[in-house]
Amino acid sequence: MAGVETLEADSKNELLEAFKVALATESVGVIIITEKAAELGRTEVDKYIQDVDIPLILEIPSSGQVKERKSAGNILKEAMGIKI
């Protein structure tokens, strides 16, 4: 996709470094992270999701994973008290 930078992380250190870079980049408005990558640093990723307003951090299912997940509406409702 044009204008979209991607980073790949194979370890917790790589994941946390990618987060530092993205959070320090003023033009980044959304971070999309796969569930598999988020599991590398679950505690830290969850903390960022809860504590950081901008950029928006969106965790998506990894390719090939079929797992019952909360809907985006339920996540928003829990996080912000907004029902859609």
Side-chain angles (χ1 to χ4, degrees):
M1 290 174 32
V4 176
E5 183 178 344
T6 61
L7 299 172
E8 188 172 326
D10 294 316
S11 70
K12 182 176 181 176
N13 287 338
E14 289 177 357
L15 172 74
L16 297 178
E17 184 60 32
F19 259 99
K20 285 181 190 176
V21 169
L23 292 169
T25 305
E26 196 171 302
S27 63
V28 173
V30 177
I31 296 173
I32 300 172
I33 183 169
T34 64
E35 186 175 39
K36 183 178 177 183
E39 289 300 328
L40 293 172
R42 173 53 61 202
T43 302
E44 293 84 352
V45 169
D46 286 348
K47 183 166 176 43
Y48 283 127
I49 289 172
Q50 292 174 3
D51 295 345
V52 176
D53 293 328
I54 297 175
L56 171 68
I57 300 169
L58 179 62
E59 186 176 330
I60 62 171
S62 296
S63 178
Q65 285 188 303
V66 179
K67 182 176 170 182
E68 188 173 321
R69 300 192 42 87
K70 295 177 185 177
S71 70
N74 285 339
I75 293 169
L76 281 173
K77 183 178 178 183
E78 289 177 11
M80 302 170 50
I82 297 173
K83 185 175 181 179
I84 57 171

